[in-house]
Amino acid sequence: MTPRTPTDSLADAARALLGEHDVTDLLVRLTRDAVQFADADAAGLLVRADGRLETLTTTSHTAEHLEAFQSQRDEGPCVDVVETGQTVEAVGHQEIVGRWPTVGPAIVAAGFRAVHAAPLAWQGGVVGGLNLFGREPRALEEGQRRAVQACADMLTLVAGQPFRLSGLDFSRSITRALRDRVVVEQAKGALAHQLGVDVSAAYDELITRSEREGVTLTDTARAVLAEAQRR
């Protein structure tokens, strides 16, 4: 099978934006693509919502925990990238812990030795950050940096929808995406209980079902919840 490229990812996302699409599904797929292009192991997306940072999507339960921890402590790579609007990168145990004394140890304890965060820029401001985690202490190559930033830019468009939005409209779009994410989170818990697995494995299974059945992640999650209610 021909490897998926950044061009494939962006073309698929642009095609989806031109028609009917599921925001949560697109966010997940683009975030997973960014992990692949960066040769990373996990990723999370933090966005501004009602004056605070909220987790919009992640590729694993571990990344979800780290994103939530950054939001709670107001510290970490995603927090820095939102505050500065600049790409953030730290490689190695010492640099990660030295840069973020509270969140850094949690990142290292999770088994990661490299972090990279790219800004989600919107009309002169920054509305969020795409955070990549790697188990190998390795900085991104220039081509990988460009691919990750392209994914971050497309994620911004997907979250905000493909038209010029006011700040209020963008906030409303983010709120809708967060609402859909709650459905996915509930389905992860239900699936974990049904299959007797942890939530990370349940999330992988949810994505696998979505891809296998050719339906959106949100619709797959709703189907899981409906099945759980019937039991």
Side-chain angles (χ1 to χ4, degrees):
M1 181 181 293
T2 303
R4 186 168 171 78
T5 68
T7 300
D8 295 329
S9 176
L10 298 179
D12 288 347
R15 189 178 304 110
L17 285 172
L18 294 174
E20 292 295 326
H21 63 279
D22 181 278
V23 173
T24 299
D25 190 66
L26 265 179
L27 291 174
V28 169
R29 294 178 190 281
L30 278 166
T31 304
R32 284 165 60 89
D33 282 346
V35 170
Q36 176 192 329
F37 303 146
D39 196 22
D41 296 286
L45 189 64
L46 277 184
V47 294
R48 289 187 187 275
D50 297 325
R52 59 171 294 167
L53 289 175
E54 297 278 2
T55 304
L56 193 55
T57 191
T58 62
T59 63
S60 71
H61 183 67
T62 301
E64 181 179 344
H65 170 73
L66 292 175
E67 295 302 295
F69 194 40
Q70 289 183 65
S71 178
Q72 292 165 4
R73 298 295 183 175
D74 196 30
E75 177 190 284
C78 255
V79 175
D80 286 358
V81 83
V82 170
E83 290 180 348
T84 67
Q86 301 296 316
T87 296
V88 172
E89 188 170 73
V91 178
H93 173 283
Q94 290 186 342
E95 184 176 1
I96 293 172
V97 173
R99 190 161 185 172
W100 303 291
T102 302
V103 172
I107 294 174
V108 171
F112 299 119
R113 296 296 182 270
V115 294
H116 181 93
L120 270 64
W122 181 261
Q123 297 183 3
V126 179
V127 296
L130 171 62
N131 200 171
L132 299 168
F133 301 94
R135 299 196 181 282
E136 295 296 324
R138 180 177 58 239
L140 297 189
E141 298 176 358
E142 184 57 32
Q144 292 176 315
R145 294 175 191 275
R146 290 197 300 270
V148 168
Q149 187 59 59
C151 286
D153 292 341
M154 184 58 80
L155 282 163
T156 308
L157 291 175
V158 171
Q161 300 302 301
F163 30 75
R164 290 185 67 86
L165 299 176
S166 67
L168 178 60
D169 289 333
F170 195 99
S171 179
R172 287 171 177 166
S173 181
I174 289 294
T175 298
R176 286 195 298 272
L178 288 170
R179 188 169 58 241
D180 286 344
R181 181 178 178 274
V182 170
V183 175
V184 173
E185 291 301 306
Q186 291 173 340
K188 282 165 56 177
L191 202 55
H193 178 72
Q194 290 174 19
L195 302 178
V197 299
D198 61 30
V199 289
S200 181
Y203 189 42
D204 289 341
E205 172 62 18
L206 199 63
I207 292 174
T208 297
R209 290 187 185 186
S210 170
E211 294 175 342
R212 182 177 64 237
E213 297 167 8
V215 297
T216 68
L217 188 65
T218 306
D219 284 344
T220 303
R222 291 192 180 105
V224 167
L225 292 176
E227 180 183 352
Q229 291 172 354
R230 289 194 295 268
R231 293 189 173 191

